[in-house]
Amino acid sequence: MSLQINNSPTTCFKFNQQLFYLKRDDLLSPISGNKARKLYYYLINEFININTIISYGGDQSNYMYALSILAKIKGWQFIYYTRKNSATALNNVSGNLALSLNNGMQLISIENDFKNFCNELSIKSLQNQLVLSQGGFDKNAKYGLYQLAQEIRNWAKMMDFAKLSIFVASGTGTTAFYLQKFLPEFTLYTTNCIGNKEYLSGQFAILAAHGKKSLNYPIILDNQKYRFAVPNLQLNDLINQIMLASQVEFDLIYDPIGWKLLLDNISQINQPILYLHCGGVNGNVTMQKRYEYKFKAK
Ligand SMILES: *Cc1c(COP(=O)(O)O)cnc(C)c1O
């Protein structure tokens, strides 16, 4: 299988008379988006003692789907734990869950004490098992994100940009944190799509504790309003406009919040602006179903 896990193209489009550059990591393959960067370390190295990946989280996670591809490439088993009765009923499997099961993922739902159960996974794991944290909150993500930072730096040099504002929507904050760390000459902006601002800065502090130097953290544009994966007509309208203007499909969970917060704060952000497209469009069918369910007959 041919891997295209770095050197994604950069394009641009105009929206409201403003020029936006797009780093098209969604075009990476077979794993797409920032998950390809975060799993780069595992993709390019050999792990002779490992034959099983263990992870956990939501049953429509983009990271889950990326892990199912990694497991397939490596010929490993993939065991994934999720909460009992989380979003999807098993007779209506679609999106990332359907794709992951199709790649051989074993899904196990945990009835009680999910958090505690997950915390113990790495302690109880065997030598042949690679336990990966929810959403890829993992210091080994830095290898692929270092490569991404180099690509952005080289592109900025080619464009003759001495300064650059970079925006990426955050879940665990891993992508934003390492990009800012590896691109100290540029300014990283992000927003909290999961949890509140304090949660996200806490994530940065945990990642910073792995390293030694004191660092600049990405600037968090505080999202106080929009909840993760909850359908919102205003956000839906905005992302449709962005997709029309750019002719690029975006993820319907992170990117609507990302674009909303970026545009709401645009007056305080210096040009040029590069938006990192983190992929995730395979999950869109499921989010579209949530929209239909919530807003049908209204
Ligand atoms: C995973 C993901 C993110 C968040 O990445 P983190 O490194 O966890 O902050 C953003 N956008 C999309 C589309 C993703 O799949």
Side-chain angles (χ1 to χ4, degrees):
M1 185 188 289
S2 83
L3 293 183
Q4 176 66 50
I5 49 176
N6 51 36
N7 294 318
S8 61
T10 303
T11 60
C12 69
F13 73 103
K14 263 195 173 157
F15 186 71
N16 287 349
Q17 272 101 58
Q18 164 99 37
L19 189 64
F20 292 97
Y21 293 95
L22 270 184
K23 178 67 170 163
R24 299 290 309 275
D25 270 11
D26 57 311
L27 298 177
L28 298 178
S29 154
I31 298 177
S32 103
N34 63 344
K35 305 306 181 283
R37 308 292 188 168
K38 293 170 88 167
L39 292 173
Y40 184 77
Y41 173 82
Y42 299 102
L43 280 163
I44 63 159
N45 288 303
E46 293 243 27
F47 300 84
I48 47 172
N49 295 319
I50 297 294
N51 62 17
T52 304
I53 296 176
I54 295 182
S55 191
Y56 52 92
D59 68 4
Q60 284 297 340
S61 154
N62 292 335
Y63 185 65
M64 171 190 78
Y65 175 49
L67 287 180
S68 78
I69 300 171
L70 173 67
K72 200 171 163 184
I73 291 170
K74 295 282 190 178
W76 295 341
Q77 281 197 71
F78 175 30
I79 301 170
Y80 191 78
Y81 296 99
T82 192
R83 280 196 171 82
K84 186 114 188 158
N85 293 331
S86 68
T88 324
L90 267 176
N91 57 4
N92 187 21
V93 172
S94 67
N96 285 332
L97 180 57
L99 293 165
S100 303
L101 291 170
N102 204 35
N103 282 339
M105 177 181 80
Q106 293 167 253
L107 182 73
I108 301 176
S109 46
I110 301 299
E111 208 139 340
N112 302 311
D113 230 349
F114 183 69
K115 249 193 169 157
N116 198 34
F117 175 85
C118 296
N119 286 339
E120 290 186 347
L121 281 173
S122 59
I123 307 162
K124 290 185 178 162
S125 70
L126 306 173
Q127 279 209 339
N128 62 320
Q129 299 173 332
L130 181 63
V131 179
L132 295 171
S133 295
Q134 177 163 20
F137 186 58
D138 175 1
K139 62 184 185 328
N140 289 328
K142 69 184 174 199
Y143 298 99
L145 292 167
Y146 180 79
Q147 163 71 24
L148 172 58
Q150 293 294 358
E151 290 171 29
I152 294 173
R153 177 177 288 125
N154 291 339
W155 170 80
K157 206 170 278 171
M158 188 189 78
M159 298 296 285
D160 231 348
F161 294 154
K163 291 257 183 284
L164 182 66
S165 301
I166 303 167
F167 182 90
V168 60
S170 277
T172 65
T174 313
T175 306
F177 175 83
Y178 283 115
L179 277 184
Q180 181 65 90
K181 176 173 169 154
F182 297 135
L183 293 168
E185 70 272 42
F186 300 145
T187 311
L188 245 294
Y189 292 89
T190 188
T191 190
N192 49 302
C193 298
I194 297 176
N196 59 17
K197 193 179 176 183
E198 287 67 40
Y199 155 78
L200 187 54
S201 49
Q203 296 284 97
F204 295 157
I206 294 169
L207 291 169
H210 291 301
K212 295 226 157 40
K213 279 194 301 189
S214 68
L215 294 165
N216 283 340
Y217 289 173
I219 296 170
I220 302 172
L221 307 174
D222 191 5
N223 165 31
Q224 302 188 342
K225 186 166 174 191
Y226 304 104
R227 301 282 311 278
F228 191 69
V230 174
N232 175 294
L233 286 179
Q234 196 192 2
L235 290 183
N236 194 49
D237 194 45
L238 174 64
I239 201 68
N240 284 332
Q241 290 177 42
I242 297 282
M243 293 204 264
L244 193 66
S246 62
Q247 293 293 305
V248 172
E249 185 178 9
F250 283 90
D251 157 274
L252 295 178
I253 293 187
Y254 294 91
D255 287 321
I257 300 176
W259 279 107
K260 176 73 178 142
L261 269 287
L262 173 60
L263 293 169
D264 282 355
N265 292 281
I266 201 85
S267 60
Q268 67 179 64
I269 299 173
N270 288 329
Q271 302 222 32
I273 298 173
L274 176 69
Y275 188 103
L276 178 63
H277 192 321
C278 291
V281 299
N282 288 301
N284 282 356
V285 282
T286 319
M287 194 61 189
Q288 270 150 0
K289 280 189 187 170
R290 281 183 210 155
Y291 269 97
E292 281 162 27
Y293 180 77
K294 183 162 177 187
F295 296 110
K296 74 180 166 197
K298 280 186 190 168

